[in-house]
Amino acid sequence: MSDEKNGLSRRTLFQLAGIAGAAVAVEGCAERERRPIGPERNVQTTCGACPAGCGIVVRAVGPGSQDAVRITGLSGHPVNDGGMCPRGIAEIQNLYHPERLRGPLARQPATGKLEPIGWAEAFERLADKTRGSEVVFGAGDLGRGERQLLRGIAARREAAVVDARLPWGAAPVEAMREMLGSGEWRFDLPRATFVLSLGADWLQSFPSPVEAQRAFGAMREGPRRACVVTADARLSVTAARSNDWFPVARHHLPEFALSVAHAMVRMSPAVAARSPAFAALAGETRFGATETGKRLGIRPHLIDWTASGLGMGGVVVVDGADRGIEAAGMALNLVAGAIGRPGGVVAAALPPLPAGLGEPQARETGEFPRTRAAPVVILAAANPVQLALAGSGFREGLARASFVVSLSPFLDESAERADLVLPVSTPLESRNLTWGCTLDGRGFVSAGPAAVKPLYDTLEWPEALLRVGRALSVELPWKDAGAYFAAAAEALSAQDLLKKGGFKSLEQDPAPPSLPADPGAWAAETVRSALSRPGPGAFPLGLAVHVPLAFLGGSGAHLPYLHGIAQVSGREIWQTVVELHPDTARALHIPEGAPVWVDSARGSIQAVLRLRQGIRPDSAGLALGLGRKALGAFAAERGTNPLDLVESAEPAFVRVRGAT
Amino acid sequence: MAVDLDRCTACGACTVACAQENNVALGNPDRPDQLIRWMEILPAERGKYPEVSARLAPSPCQHCDREPPCARVCPVYATYRNVEGLIPQIYEQCIGCRYCVNACPYTCKHFNWSRPEFPAPFERGLNPDVSVRNAGVMEKCNFCYHRLQVVRDTAAQEGREPKLGEYRTACQESCPTKAIRFGDLDGELEGVRENERAFTLLEDLGLMPKVIYLKEKTS
Amino acid sequence: MRPGRGGAFRVQIAFFLFIWGFTFVTAGWFAWSARWLHRYGDAWKPAVVMGIAVTSCFALLAGLLTWTFVALGRGENGERFDPVPDPIERRLLAPVLAGWSARTWATALALVAVIAWAGYCWYLQLRYGLAVTGLGRPVFWGMYIVDFDFFLGIAYGLVLLSAVLRLAGADWRRAGQRLAAMGAVFAMIVGPVNILLDLGRLDHLHKVYASGRMQSPLLWDVASIMTFLITCLVYLFLPLIPDFGLLRERVGGFRKPIYRFLSFGWTGSAAQVAALDRANRLLAILVVFVAVIVRSVVAWITSLTLQPLWHSALTGPMYVLGAIFLSAAVLALLLAAMRRAFGLSAVIRPVHFDKLGLVLVLCAVVWGYLMVSELLTVSYGNEPDEMAIIATKLSGRFSLLFWMAVGGLFAAPVALLTRKSWRTAGRVVAASLAVFVGSWAQLYTELVPVLEHPRMPLPGSGHYRPAAVEIATFAGCLAAFVLLTMILTRFVPVVAVFYERRGRGDAAAQATERSREYQAEVTHP
């Protein structure tokens, strides 16, 4: 009775409050309702955000536990051991992004617009268009298995595969292949005692981000405490966290490597035997520390110091952006005796490939085949409109194409121009089975089920690729993704892992690969030609492009949480910043924060000027990742794309002028 | 909380993990100055070219142990030092005057300039343990207080005391280099204060922040 | 029934009850807060101290009013009150008795349009949040707080200035006394609106009363605004009583009963005049104390934090001086406006501008001294955090505003008004405009540069630039101030008729008396 009375009076009170509230009720002040928590589930699986293959635990709640709300690292996993990278955590935003594709789209000839279409019809159309046509694949950031699948299909269809990944931050695969016979080598950072980062901002852009961070943590641990030095034009995150930063302009990096090699050979002439060709080049007097130091604007003793550090068991980390730097860095590793040494560059131990994923495999090229007149282009996670370098000819190839197919979870810049858009699932909605090798050369297999059911009418990557293959009349031994996963898991004895999620380490040691007679000959050749490249002319500033971890591989700008960390050493968010030294800006009479134009021989982009001491006065720093034209409010028309300035990943030169 | 700057690589996993865990507003690209991130990496460049170094320090709310300036000036008890020594923020109590953040020497609080919007289906990724804030209130790192509640509830259900290291923050959990550690100074973090590398931000103000940094080793 | 004990008497009784009730409620609020804080284990003493201060202020006011009204009632001699109209009265009452011209209506409508625009902007802000302002991180406070300080400066300063002049017995103050009180009341109404604009959650405002934390300077501000608003309403009202008595006799229609009620039975008897004079004198003493303290409270909001440059003991005195300075300028502007609008050159004389000009010059000199003290103290100490902020003021982003403040608050008054012969109405108005703008610029440069330079290198921190919404609402506040003033001039004379008339009569006698005094001192050592 009294309760009822209380209830009544409370209700009246609420009504009164409601009336009072209505007087001030505006949309902004309305209370939020809570979502039901529902049954909770922790799904152990493998991250598919990048090919590294971290173990993760996804917390799923809500009705049917289908809402992924938290991702944590899986303890003990050989790749991440409980750690996460920001991109992995942001997968939740990728999954629930409003701009995601809901189903396949096809361009209607009548309207010229992309309209929804059924899957069966989509693949029929693909089969129609490809019949008798040449096919070119563009392969972006695919998982290891998916990449093998794609290359297998391409090989059977005699189609070309163009590597559409961003070269900045990629492994120096070309140098490894040319010098060491295979691309499967790892920088053994966890065991390294001395690390020279040669123009590589590896803490931010590394093929396996969590491993890079973990390796750094391991290096800093204990009494051993490895020494890290970074030679780069700007004080990158890696340089900032290094023991020392050598400001070397990007186009001077091969020379810097040569002078270090020069010093090493002088210290102990025996090392020249490791690569006579490269040692001969480095032995030229112009690469003496004093002379080189003067030419490059750095202190000569630093070169000697680096040489002694490397000589005592160090490793040089380079990325695959520029062939000259790549070759110089790997040759330096060779001279330092780092190849095959623990704490140096070690061969990867990989499990035997599942049947059907091995040969035949199409070779990936960096350039779009120019001979093909009007090919059908199939883009697998590739976005050449945004990310292809001008020199690769991919954009022209796309313009020439008779038919363009895009496989991607999003309607990105390239998909917008495609004739057929086939949406694939995001990693959290897909099963994942991957294998690889950690930085210290230990092989592993990691797998797991889909964390949540697919939100939309999308296909898992293997399924999409297999059906593309069938449309190209390529027969692979699996009828669908289920069969593929089952077969691959069996071959890797990972059936349990695929169901319950998890990892296993491989025990076998890699067979020591046989090196060519003088592995450095190719490097010496490549570096020699890099030395003869033109220096700064009308464009006085060396361009130092870098890829922040937030936008690794050039993607990720559509994920709002990543923008908070995109400018690690600055304050500007959602805008492209050009970094200059204060002296340089003073000479140009441009104040900090002013809008500027950055011009190169190839084009111009707009940016905002930031002054910092941590950049060479003869260089300009720009970050990749912004300047998108698609992908919704968080990405489209924010900032500019520095790739518009360059022909290739080779060192480029720019000019900065005020935009008023 | 202890942050080992010698191990930290400024990868930003903590920032993103924190935002994801605490349903932090996505942000408005047109107003980057109104962005909210509880955990931030503060860049500080020192020296002149070429002798330049930079410190990149992950920085959450410092949870001052002694007379937090924010709690001192709050007119309505929306922020205070609780019995655990944490400085929570009560969104429903806050009137949005922003005095606390102006009094905070670390400026490590954030204001919801507009109503945080999570356009569908973003809202499906929201953490159900944490409320989504309204427009016009302050918010800040609370050391994942909801996790402490979960740990306590679980321990109580199982009829035991919470275990050492059971209460973990999202940033700590995600940190790939294990640079962020969290716990009691006489428990999980025993000896951190005595570490010769230990320092706190703006130490001379005497606010005794509970975020203790271990500075980079020099060798 | 004795004369005057009609409905008006009952309303007067109700008014007494209200003001006493208000006093007790306030006391109760503070007591309740103290108990609540005590229960929370928090410091309860601030509540007690503030309760005693504010309540005793209200009790003094209530006692003063009660006593005055009783005295006024006692002094009511039942005679018909009908002073002979003289030219001064005709001149001063003309705006009240005549209607508004078409031009005045047009001005009023324009002001209403500005206010409506501001209101719409406020609506936008309520709908979309404070995101529509230029505020962000780290500048969490901007123009709203500057405007709040600005209007409160006008209010506190006007009251302080006129009360000090009254206590000093400056004859010339009479012409501005009414305008000062009026301006103070309107600034007190318009100023705190900016706080409402600035609040993130207006719908949680009641929490300030329900669970206010007395240790917070913001609560001191709430209490001081409350106290001062009541105080300056009384300060405006008491000297109005004789004029209400006069107007009661002069107007008809709907206004007559209002004036009759408000005049509290004023008949101008000697006893009533004596009672009112005493009340006014006591009130002047009270408001001087209240105004200095509450103006300092506004300054303490920033100076009690640990932020570089804010954390300075000089802020309080600077704010008090700034308030007097700004209000002298506002008063000069109001006098000039009224003289022009209502042709009051017979009442508002060159001497008024001369004296106000003198006040401006004196303030400018003291301001210059305080500013130099601050700059010297900070620069010599050479603390990096503080020097970075000073640098942006002297030559950086804020240099324009800073030098506008220096120009308006020091250079202009000194250059324009130093010599007596220079202090003409036109020059004083020009200097006043400079001071008006300079004061705003100074408040802005006290607040924003500090916030733009947080101690921590925050990512994503931007520069603050006021957005259209903030500018619109400031314009709306100014328009509201002018409109309220315009409306009130339709109901009360802008210069107190009673005091003006009496002052004129007394002036010659007072001057003779003074001169006799001086000479007496000289001749009889």
Side-chain angles (χ1 to χ4, degrees), chain A residues 32 213 225 241 299 561, chain B residues 5-6 8-9 24 51 116:
Chain A
R32 288 185 178 272
Q213 321 300 323
R225 201 164 189 280
R241 299 300 298 112
R299 299 195 185 137
Y561 281 162
Chain B
L5 294 178
D6 196 50
C8 174
T9 56
V24 169
E51 303 299 331

Side-chain angles (χ1 to χ4, degrees), chain C residues 71-84:
Chain C
L72 287 180
R74 283 236 182 104
E76 203 177 339
N77 51 14
E79 287 170 20
R80 185 161 164 70
F81 174 63
D82 191 9
V84 192

Side-chain angles (χ1 to χ4, degrees), chain C residues 151 153-166 172-188 228 232-233 235-236 239 327-328 330-332 334-335 338 356 481 485 488 493-496:
Chain C
F151 282 111
I154 293 177
Y156 298 151
L158 282 173
V159 167
L160 194 53
L161 182 66
S162 66
V164 167
L165 290 177
R166 174 193 286 279
W172 58 273
R173 70 162 199 278
R174 264 193 306 273
Q177 198 82 37
R178 169 77 38 86
L179 280 171
M182 246 162 72
V185 168
F186 295 147
M188 262 336 268
F228 195 74
C232 74
L233 272 172
Y235 188 70
L236 171 68
S327 64
V330 169
L331 190 56
L334 281 174
L335 282 172
M338 295 304 160
L356 275 176
F481 182 82
T485 311
L488 199 66
V494 292
V495 176

Side-chain angles (χ1 to χ4, degrees), chain C residues 32 55 114 126 152 271 292 331 359 379 444 452 500 512-513:
Chain C
W32 178 70
T55 313
V114 173
L126 287 173
L152 257 60
V292 169
L331 190 56
V359 172
S379 311
Y444 190 95
E452 274 204 7
E500 184 63 26
T512 320
E513 172 70 10

Side-chain angles (χ1 to χ4, degrees), chain C residues 26-42:
Chain C
T26 314
W29 178 50
F30 281 108
W32 178 70
S33 299
R35 188 176 169 276
W36 191 73
L37 297 176
H38 182 61
R39 216 177 52 202
Y40 244 67
D42 206 334

